[in-house]
Amino acid sequence: MHLLRSVERFLRQTDMAPTRFGRAAVRDPRLVFDLRNGREPGERMKRRVEHFMNIHSQEKA
């Protein structure tokens, strides 16, 4: 659940489409929709998503 909140905040702040985010972060355009429907990603996927958000945030700063 924590991951979904972070992703939703990131999407609002960057105005990025959910499908673009999923594709860029983990090559899965359905990622955000699946998370919203209760998908529980593994630790590796969580790290990849968090890494993508961190790198993207640093580039914008």
Side-chain angles (χ1 to χ4, degrees), residues 11 14-22 32:
L11 293 176
T14 61
D15 199 32
M16 185 179 290
T19 52
R20 180 173 172 224
F21 174 84
V32 176

Side-chain angles (χ1 to χ4, degrees), residues 25-46:
V26 294
R27 297 183 183 178
D28 180 359
R30 295 219 27 91
L31 173 68
V32 176
F33 302 108
D34 289 347
L35 290 174
R36 290 172 179 168
N37 285 324
R39 176 178 174 184
E40 284 293 325
E43 287 302 314
R44 183 170 180 237
M45 182 173 286
K46 287 180 187 178

Side-chain angles (χ1 to χ4, degrees), residues 42-57:
E43 287 302 314
R44 183 170 180 237
M45 182 173 286
K46 287 180 187 178
R47 286 193 308 269
R48 288 174 65 193
V49 169
E50 290 168 352
H51 177 73
F52 173 79
M53 291 189 295
N54 289 336
I55 294 300
H56 193 278
S57 295

